[in-house]
Amino acid sequence: MADSGDLESAYGDDSVLFRVLRHLGWDSLVDIGWFTLPTLPIVVLAGPVPFQRRLARRSLALLDARPGQLVLDAGCGRGDTTARLGAAGCRALGVDIQPAQIDQARRRFGGSARFAVADATALPDQAAEIPLTDGSFDRVHCLEAAFHFGPEGRRSFLSESFRLLRPGGRLVLVDVTSAADQPIETLDPDGLVRGTWRFDSIEPYERYPLTASAVGFTTRRILDWTTPVLHRAAQLSALFAGAASTRAGRQALCVRWPGLRTLDAQDWDEVIAVVRAHRAIGRVTRYTAYVLDKPAEGFADVAPE
């Protein structure tokens, strides 16, 4: 798994792309968002937050978490999804390897959930005074974080989740995946995407359920969210890059989002290059939601949707 220092630079102002996203509206949520064609024009008026919240709601809905249940939000970032679980009556614990993210989560949402700095691929004995013992949790949630873990880390995370869950418990894992077992270097030859988000590989779409099954999970559902997440985001990115490529376009962007005025010419060029690299890698990647159950008894794999 990428260390906390690397990730902190990816999710902070050291990254010119993250600076741009922050000026566009990224804050307590840092997921890509869920977009539909009719709503794309609204992004200019409302910014990305309503679409990020929509994706978070869809991910959390797959948990089917009930009030009173103990839920781990792994890779919780700035705590929004953990707080949503807490507001729904769950006993929610958010963990993230980045201390800065956990500090923000505690400041914003400490009244509705608990947060701790911890590696989701190698959990400690307890976090925020909650024991992380075998079979102690009802649900585990991981939204758009596991691509940071690396192949071994993702296997470890699945094992840790299975250990932590009670029989009948559920893991919802939503992640960027690859359409085939293709080396990341061929998808991102200049390393712009990997360098921006500090990851080394993307899990092949079909490997997740195989690894989950080997650990002991039953695959309840597999949902392909590539179009409303990656493809629509790519369309928006193309519009942004096109506007940012001209002086008039940059001026228009700065009128709508004044914070973008802090970018210099080199920053704009770097952002355009990174956005185009994301579009290239997006053509051969997927966005997938896996609903994985720890069986109470027996197995019953379900086909993808």
Side-chain angles (χ1 to χ4, degrees), residues 178 180-191 194 200 277 280-281 284:
S178 62
D181 194 356
Q182 188 173 359
I184 190 67
E185 292 82 4
T186 65
L187 307 176
D188 182 34
D190 297 322
R194 285 170 289 155
D200 296 322
I281 198 173
V284 289

PDB file of all heavy atoms in Angstrom, residues 178 180-191 194 200 277 280-281 284:
ATOM      1  N   SER A 178      -9.399  -2.810 -13.968  1.00  0.00           N
ATOM      2  CA  SER A 178      -8.972  -2.865 -15.368  1.00  0.00           C
ATOM      3  C   SER A 178      -9.800  -3.913 -16.109  1.00  0.00           C
ATOM      4  O   SER A 178     -10.246  -4.904 -15.529  1.00  0.00           O
ATOM      5  CB  SER A 178      -7.484  -3.197 -15.474  1.00  0.00           C
ATOM      6  OG  SER A 178      -7.195  -4.463 -14.934  1.00  0.00           O
ATOM      7  N   ALA A 180      -8.788  -5.908 -18.345  1.00  0.00           N
ATOM      8  CA  ALA A 180      -8.013  -7.125 -18.561  1.00  0.00           C
ATOM      9  C   ALA A 180      -6.766  -7.043 -17.688  1.00  0.00           C
ATOM     10  O   ALA A 180      -6.438  -5.998 -17.140  1.00  0.00           O
ATOM     11  CB  ALA A 180      -7.611  -7.249 -20.038  1.00  0.00           C
ATOM     12  N   ASP A 181      -6.103  -8.170 -17.553  1.00  0.00           N
ATOM     13  CA  ASP A 181      -4.885  -8.220 -16.751  1.00  0.00           C
ATOM     14  C   ASP A 181      -3.745  -7.625 -17.577  1.00  0.00           C
ATOM     15  O   ASP A 181      -2.869  -8.321 -18.083  1.00  0.00           O
ATOM     16  CB  ASP A 181      -4.577  -9.658 -16.337  1.00  0.00           C
ATOM     17  CG  ASP A 181      -3.536  -9.713 -15.229  1.00  0.00           C
ATOM     18  OD1 ASP A 181      -3.024  -8.654 -14.849  1.00  0.00           O
ATOM     19  OD2 ASP A 181      -3.244 -10.826 -14.750  1.00  0.00           O
ATOM     20  N   GLN A 182      -3.798  -6.306 -17.737  1.00  0.00           N
ATOM     21  CA  GLN A 182      -2.890  -5.585 -18.614  1.00  0.00           C
ATOM     22  C   GLN A 182      -1.923  -4.752 -17.770  1.00  0.00           C
ATOM     23  O   GLN A 182      -2.348  -4.052 -16.837  1.00  0.00           O
ATOM     24  CB  GLN A 182      -3.702  -4.663 -19.535  1.00  0.00           C
ATOM     25  CG  GLN A 182      -2.909  -3.991 -20.628  1.00  0.00           C
ATOM     26  CD  GLN A 182      -3.840  -3.250 -21.584  1.00  0.00           C
ATOM     27  OE1 GLN A 182      -5.055  -3.266 -21.427  1.00  0.00           O
ATOM     28  NE2 GLN A 182      -3.267  -2.600 -22.578  1.00  0.00           N
ATOM     29  N   PRO A 183      -0.627  -4.797 -18.029  1.00  0.00           N
ATOM     30  CA  PRO A 183       0.317  -4.013 -17.233  1.00  0.00           C
ATOM     31  C   PRO A 183      -0.047  -2.534 -17.236  1.00  0.00           C
ATOM     32  O   PRO A 183      -0.371  -1.960 -18.285  1.00  0.00           O
ATOM     33  CB  PRO A 183       1.655  -4.260 -17.936  1.00  0.00           C
ATOM     34  CG  PRO A 183       1.478  -5.551 -18.666  1.00  0.00           C
ATOM     35  CD  PRO A 183       0.037  -5.589 -19.084  1.00  0.00           C
ATOM     36  N   ILE A 184       0.011  -1.919 -16.065  1.00  0.00           N
ATOM     37  CA  ILE A 184      -0.386  -0.526 -15.946  1.00  0.00           C
ATOM     38  C   ILE A 184       0.502   0.379 -16.791  1.00  0.00           C
ATOM     39  O   ILE A 184       0.067   1.446 -17.246  1.00  0.00           O
ATOM     40  CB  ILE A 184      -0.351  -0.105 -14.455  1.00  0.00           C
ATOM     41  CG1 ILE A 184      -0.984   1.273 -14.260  1.00  0.00           C
ATOM     42  CG2 ILE A 184       1.069  -0.119 -13.917  1.00  0.00           C
ATOM     43  CD1 ILE A 184      -2.453   1.322 -14.516  1.00  0.00           C
ATOM     44  N   GLU A 185       1.737  -0.062 -17.036  1.00  0.00           N
ATOM     45  CA  GLU A 185       2.651   0.765 -17.829  1.00  0.00           C
ATOM     46  C   GLU A 185       2.148   0.978 -19.247  1.00  0.00           C
ATOM     47  O   GLU A 185       2.431   2.008 -19.874  1.00  0.00           O
ATOM     48  CB  GLU A 185       4.041   0.119 -17.871  1.00  0.00           C
ATOM     49  CG  GLU A 185       4.766   0.100 -16.529  1.00  0.00           C
ATOM     50  CD  GLU A 185       4.321  -1.044 -15.646  1.00  0.00           C
ATOM     51  OE1 GLU A 185       3.506  -1.884 -16.101  1.00  0.00           O
ATOM     52  OE2 GLU A 185       4.783  -1.118 -14.490  1.00  0.00           O
ATOM     53  N   THR A 186       1.396   0.012 -19.766  1.00  0.00           N
ATOM     54  CA  THR A 186       0.862   0.168 -21.119  1.00  0.00           C
ATOM     55  C   THR A 186      -0.343   1.101 -21.146  1.00  0.00           C
ATOM     56  O   THR A 186      -0.671   1.665 -22.187  1.00  0.00           O
ATOM     57  CB  THR A 186       0.454  -1.192 -21.716  1.00  0.00           C
ATOM     58  OG1 THR A 186      -0.636  -1.740 -20.961  1.00  0.00           O
ATOM     59  CG2 THR A 186       1.627  -2.177 -21.680  1.00  0.00           C
ATOM     60  N   LEU A 187      -1.006   1.248 -20.016  1.00  0.00           N
ATOM     61  CA  LEU A 187      -2.163   2.131 -19.931  1.00  0.00           C
ATOM     62  C   LEU A 187      -1.758   3.563 -19.610  1.00  0.00           C
ATOM     63  O   LEU A 187      -2.422   4.517 -20.012  1.00  0.00           O
ATOM     64  CB  LEU A 187      -3.124   1.633 -18.842  1.00  0.00           C
ATOM     65  CG  LEU A 187      -3.574   0.175 -18.929  1.00  0.00           C
ATOM     66  CD1 LEU A 187      -4.437  -0.178 -17.729  1.00  0.00           C
ATOM     67  CD2 LEU A 187      -4.346  -0.066 -20.219  1.00  0.00           C
ATOM     68  N   ASP A 188      -0.676   3.706 -18.887  1.00  0.00           N
ATOM     69  CA  ASP A 188      -0.224   5.012 -18.406  1.00  0.00           C
ATOM     70  C   ASP A 188       1.284   5.120 -18.650  1.00  0.00           C
ATOM     71  O   ASP A 188       2.079   5.146 -17.709  1.00  0.00           O
ATOM     72  CB  ASP A 188      -0.564   5.133 -16.914  1.00  0.00           C
ATOM     73  CG  ASP A 188      -0.184   6.467 -16.301  1.00  0.00           C
ATOM     74  OD1 ASP A 188      -0.274   7.486 -17.007  1.00  0.00           O
ATOM     75  OD2 ASP A 188       0.185   6.482 -15.109  1.00  0.00           O
ATOM     76  N   PRO A 189       1.702   5.168 -19.922  1.00  0.00           N
ATOM     77  CA  PRO A 189       3.132   5.036 -20.245  1.00  0.00           C
ATOM     78  C   PRO A 189       4.012   6.124 -19.644  1.00  0.00           C
ATOM     79  O   PRO A 189       5.183   5.877 -19.350  1.00  0.00           O
ATOM     80  CB  PRO A 189       3.156   5.085 -21.784  1.00  0.00           C
ATOM     81  CG  PRO A 189       1.878   5.736 -22.176  1.00  0.00           C
ATOM     82  CD  PRO A 189       0.885   5.330 -21.141  1.00  0.00           C
ATOM     83  N   ASP A 190       3.486   7.323 -19.455  1.00  0.00           N
ATOM     84  CA  ASP A 190       4.281   8.402 -18.884  1.00  0.00           C
ATOM     85  C   ASP A 190       4.148   8.505 -17.367  1.00  0.00           C
ATOM     86  O   ASP A 190       4.769   9.372 -16.749  1.00  0.00           O
ATOM     87  CB  ASP A 190       3.888   9.736 -19.517  1.00  0.00           C
ATOM     88  CG  ASP A 190       4.182   9.768 -21.015  1.00  0.00           C
ATOM     89  OD1 ASP A 190       5.222   9.215 -21.420  1.00  0.00           O
ATOM     90  OD2 ASP A 190       3.362  10.317 -21.773  1.00  0.00           O
ATOM     91  N   GLY A 191       3.308   7.643 -16.786  1.00  0.00           N
ATOM     92  CA  GLY A 191       3.148   7.636 -15.334  1.00  0.00           C
ATOM     93  C   GLY A 191       2.412   8.829 -14.768  1.00  0.00           C
ATOM     94  O   GLY A 191       2.456   9.070 -13.556  1.00  0.00           O
ATOM     95  N   ARG A 194      -0.608   7.472 -12.505  1.00  0.00           N
ATOM     96  CA  ARG A 194      -0.058   6.805 -11.322  1.00  0.00           C
ATOM     97  C   ARG A 194       0.645   7.789 -10.405  1.00  0.00           C
ATOM     98  O   ARG A 194       0.523   7.719  -9.177  1.00  0.00           O
ATOM     99  CB  ARG A 194       0.922   5.710 -11.755  1.00  0.00           C
ATOM    100  CG  ARG A 194       0.255   4.463 -12.314  1.00  0.00           C
ATOM    101  CD  ARG A 194       1.280   3.537 -12.938  1.00  0.00           C
ATOM    102  NE  ARG A 194       1.802   4.088 -14.182  1.00  0.00           N
ATOM    103  CZ  ARG A 194       2.992   3.785 -14.693  1.00  0.00           C
ATOM    104  NH1 ARG A 194       3.792   2.944 -14.047  1.00  0.00           N
ATOM    105  NH2 ARG A 194       3.379   4.312 -15.840  1.00  0.00           N
ATOM    106  N   ASP A 200       0.257   1.960  -7.970  1.00  0.00           N
ATOM    107  CA  ASP A 200       1.124   1.210  -8.876  1.00  0.00           C
ATOM    108  C   ASP A 200       0.373   0.309  -9.845  1.00  0.00           C
ATOM    109  O   ASP A 200       0.897  -0.041 -10.897  1.00  0.00           O
ATOM    110  CB  ASP A 200       2.104   0.340  -8.071  1.00  0.00           C
ATOM    111  CG  ASP A 200       3.060   1.177  -7.243  1.00  0.00           C
ATOM    112  OD1 ASP A 200       3.489   2.231  -7.744  1.00  0.00           O
ATOM    113  OD2 ASP A 200       3.366   0.787  -6.110  1.00  0.00           O
ATOM    114  N   ALA A 277      -4.181  12.282 -19.882  1.00  0.00           N
ATOM    115  CA  ALA A 277      -3.703  10.949 -19.497  1.00  0.00           C
ATOM    116  C   ALA A 277      -4.807  10.154 -18.817  1.00  0.00           C
ATOM    117  O   ALA A 277      -4.944   8.945 -19.041  1.00  0.00           O
ATOM    118  CB  ALA A 277      -2.494  11.075 -18.571  1.00  0.00           C
ATOM    119  N   ALA A 280      -7.100   8.806 -21.462  1.00  0.00           N
ATOM    120  CA  ALA A 280      -6.523   7.669 -22.177  1.00  0.00           C
ATOM    121  C   ALA A 280      -6.657   6.388 -21.366  1.00  0.00           C
ATOM    122  O   ALA A 280      -7.060   5.346 -21.894  1.00  0.00           O
ATOM    123  CB  ALA A 280      -5.054   7.943 -22.490  1.00  0.00           C
ATOM    124  N   ILE A 281      -6.354   6.453 -20.089  1.00  0.00           N
ATOM    125  CA  ILE A 281      -6.445   5.259 -19.253  1.00  0.00           C
ATOM    126  C   ILE A 281      -7.907   4.870 -19.027  1.00  0.00           C
ATOM    127  O   ILE A 281      -8.235   3.701 -18.844  1.00  0.00           O
ATOM    128  CB  ILE A 281      -5.706   5.477 -17.910  1.00  0.00           C
ATOM    129  CG1 ILE A 281      -5.406   4.131 -17.247  1.00  0.00           C
ATOM    130  CG2 ILE A 281      -6.488   6.356 -16.956  1.00  0.00           C
ATOM    131  CD1 ILE A 281      -4.537   4.261 -16.008  1.00  0.00           C
ATOM    132  N   VAL A 284      -9.771   2.011 -21.097  1.00  0.00           N
ATOM    133  CA  VAL A 284      -9.566   0.583 -20.868  1.00  0.00           C
ATOM    134  C   VAL A 284      -9.727   0.206 -19.398  1.00  0.00           C
ATOM    135  O   VAL A 284      -9.318  -0.870 -18.978  1.00  0.00           O
ATOM    136  CB  VAL A 284      -8.168   0.144 -21.370  1.00  0.00           C
ATOM    137  CG1 VAL A 284      -8.121   0.151 -22.891  1.00  0.00           C
ATOM    138  CG2 VAL A 284      -7.071   1.024 -20.803  1.00  0.00           C
TER     139      VAL A 284
END
